[in-house]
Every structure is written in structure tokens, then in C-alpha cells.
Amino acid sequence: MTRHLVALAGGVGGAKLAEGLAAHCGDGLEVIVNTGDDCVRHGLLVMPDHDTVLYNLAGLEQAVFGWGIEGDTFATMDQLAAYGEETWFRLGDRDLALHIARTARVRAGGRLTEVCLGLQAALGVASRILPMSDDPVATEVRTADGWLEFQEYFVHRRQEPDVLELRFAGMTAAAPSPEVVAALDRADAIVVCPSNPLVSVGPILAVPGMRDGVDRARARGVPVAAVSPIVGGRALKGPADRMLVGLGHEASAAGVARLYAGMVDVFVIDAVDEGEAAAVEALGMRAVVTDTIMGDDASRARLAGEIVAEVLA
Ligand code: FO1
């Protein structure tokens, strides 16, 4: 019988673990992705976290950055620049095909999740990648310059301004899609990937009804595991460490565990943070200490295998 594993994921870090989990679970894996980073560029709907997970599961991901397609070219960007368009958000020529197809299908009346599932199937991805909602939600960060759209902060301003506050525009009117509700209802285990707890996992859990779905699963005895995105006090990628501190949290594995207390049963921390295991366990979670660095396909599969053994035993 197929075991169903649901993962919650943001961009690059989440996509790496999702790829490892897919190697173990195949079509039993459903990945709920953050859509708060989504944006409209050149009139096209771009979904960075969905697309990063998609390219990783399809084996197409750009090796150094982790987002975009390996070997992509940027001729369209160069030509757009010639017309005076802003091109700081770099969309590769092959990547653009995804945004063109998705935007056309949504404009023709397709529901976002159905459109995404169709594109995933076209790339031969066996696992399902589910936007956290079909409704638009936009993460915005307040800096000394006022409120900024997420990609303006993340890419254009290179995550340099301090983040003073977060908000998720559209969240109160959003709901999990029927596919997300069904995934949580049939889950045998849930894994929170090593993504930014505030701007990647945070928006997913803030969708009204999402947390209820996780709690209903836990009430049935479904284990929830989470992997720390903070190793040795630093984010492996992105601004999570600075953001945690700036918003009054601790940039440590235990600090992330504290944010998930009451929702997570097993918390996976890196071997360098072994000293924090007791603090994690004091929060009511079992601490699993292992090598969490996912440098290559083999290490992704190994970490995922350890997690699967913990939660689907
Ligand atoms: N990140 C960058 O740092 N610079 C970019 O120009 C950029 C373009 C881009 C295009 C498509 C896509 O799916 C992702 C892209 N990203 C880029 C990554 C993205 O901004 C972040 O990884 C996520 O939003 C954070 O999870």
C-alpha cells in the first residue's frame, strides 16, 4: 500500500529535501509549497518556490543557485533590457516557457493547482507539488524604506535591508486548495523542510485552515517531523538567520524548534548543533541529530531516508 508523505517547502533548501523524499516516496509524496514569493514579471505569473521544487524533482535545477534551469540562456532578458524593461529578476529563456504556459492557462480560466499539476506531469514528475492556495497571497516585508514586495527585498535589494515586520497580503481571504486538504487528510506523515520558518513555512501555516489540517492529522496519530534550516547559528542559504534575530527570535536550531513547538514531534538538527538537542527535547519534541547538509543527490537521499525511517516506520 502506498504511504503518503506530505512535505511543506519553500525554495532551494526545501526543494533539495523534497528531491530526496521523492527518491524514497515517488508518487506517494505531495509537496505543499509557499506561494507568498510569487510575483508578476513582464505580465507573467512567476512562482519561484513551486518552480524551484519542480525543477529539482524534474532533475533540471541549476546546480549553483538551486533555482532556474541548468544551462539556461538569457537572450530574452537582454532583449527586454534593450527595450528599457527592468531585468533585475533574471528569467532564463527556457524558464520563461513555464511562466508563459502557466499564465496562459490561468488566464484561460484554469485553476492554479490544476494548471501546476498539468505542467508537472508534462515534465514527468511523479510526486505532486501543490501551491498552498489557489488564492493570491503576497509576502511583504517592512524595512526602513517602508513595505517592500518580497522579490524587491530578496533579489533587487539582495536581502540587505533589515526586516522590521512581515505581512501576508490576501491571507485572510485565502483557503487551502481541495488538493491540499485531501493531501493532509490522507497523510501518513508530514515533513517540514529546512526552509525559512518565517517567510517560507510561515505563510503556508498561516493559510486559514492549514494548521487545522496539520492538527487533524496529528490527532489521528500522524507524526510531524521538521528539519532545522539553521546550522551552527547560520542559515544555509538566504536571510533566515538575520530575519529571525530582527523579528525577536533566536537564530539557532532550538530557536526554530521553538517556533514549531506544539506542532512537531521529531526535530532534526545538524551534528554541529548536538549541544542544542536537550533544549529541543525540552520543547516536547524528539531531537534527531545527523548530517543535514545536502550537497549532492546522495546526501539529499540519505537525509530523506533517515527522516522517512523516523516517520514512516
Ligand atoms: N533569485 C535571485 O537571487 N536572483 C534572481 O534573479 C532570481 C530569479 C528567479 C527567477 C525564477 C525563479 O523561480 C526564482 C528566481 N530567483 C532568483 C530565486 C527566488 O527569488 C528565491 O529563491 C525565492 O523566492 C526564495 O525562496
Side-chain angles (χ1 to χ4, degrees):
M1 197 182 67
T2 307
R3 309 296 307 279
H4 291 284
L5 193 140
V6 170
L8 312 188
V12 177
K16 287 181 181 176
L17 184 61
E19 189 195 322
L21 292 168
H24 292 275
C25 303
D27 63 4
L29 173 68
E30 299 189 272
V31 187
I32 301 174
V33 286
N34 169 41
T35 58
D37 297 9
D38 295 6
C39 56
V40 174
R41 304 299 304 165
H42 316 290
L44 302 172
L45 173 59
V46 180
M47 302 178 67
D49 289 356
H50 171 275
D51 299 350
T52 299
V53 174
L54 173 62
Y55 291 147
N56 274 267
L57 295 194
L60 294 174
E61 82 280 7
Q62 206 282 334
V64 178
F65 303 123
W67 51 265
I69 295 181
E70 183 65 42
D72 213 346
T73 51
F74 291 86
T76 311
M77 284 289 112
D78 294 343
Q79 197 62 28
L80 283 166
Y83 294 125
E85 295 293 317
E86 278 193 341
T87 53
W88 50 261
F89 195 74
R90 308 287 296 159
L91 295 167
D93 298 318
R94 291 174 67 201
D95 185 29
L96 272 162
L98 175 61
H99 315 313
I100 292 168
R102 176 168 48 217
T103 305
R105 293 177 194 191
V106 169
R107 279 198 193 137
R111 190 165 57 83
L112 184 66
T113 299
E114 284 174 351
V115 168
C116 288
L117 289 169
L119 295 163
Q120 296 158 28
L123 289 186
V125 173
S127 310
R128 299 189 343 145
I129 308 163
L130 306 175
M132 66 189 193
S133 176
D134 288 323
D135 306 309
V137 172
T139 299
E140 296 169 347
V141 303
R142 188 166 67 81
T143 69
D145 293 338
W147 285 100
L148 303 177
E149 179 249 310
F150 187 77
Q151 298 299 346
E152 168 68 26
Y153 155 76
F154 196 90
V155 175
H156 200 194
R157 306 206 187 190
R158 299 188 177 84
Q159 308 138 43
E160 281 163 7
D162 287 332
V163 174
L164 308 173
E165 200 181 339
L166 293 173
R167 69 182 179 195
F168 307 127
M171 190 61 96
T172 51
S177 66
E179 289 85 352
V180 162
V181 174
L184 290 172
D185 281 348
R186 67 172 158 253
D188 294 306
I190 298 173
V191 174
V192 181
C193 291
S195 299
N196 185 316
L198 302 176
V199 293
S200 296
V201 180
I204 299 175
L205 293 173
V207 176
M210 188 74 73
R211 184 60 206 262
D212 289 347
V214 175
D215 290 345
R216 264 199 319 275
R218 286 188 83 218
R220 304 199 303 275
V222 170
V224 179
V227 183
S228 176
I230 301 288
V231 172
R234 306 296 294 264
L236 289 176
K237 198 167 194 314
D241 43 11
R242 278 177 58 216
M243 207 183 269
L244 279 163
V245 173
L247 294 174
H249 308 286
E250 202 183 277
S252 66
V256 176
R258 207 163 287 126
L259 292 171
Y260 294 147
M263 190 191 82
V264 164
D265 306 291
V266 177
F267 195 72
V268 182
I269 63 176
D270 194 83
V272 302
D273 295 318
E274 189 168 14
E276 296 184 40
V280 169
E281 301 219 323
L283 294 164
M285 308 171 191
R286 195 152 54 77
V288 170
V289 182
T290 187
D291 176 7
T292 64
I293 309 296
M294 294 178 282
D296 55 16
D297 287 357
S299 54
R300 296 172 190 197
R302 184 205 46 77
L303 176 61
E306 280 190 50
I307 295 166
V308 167
E310 290 284 341
V311 293
L312 283 182

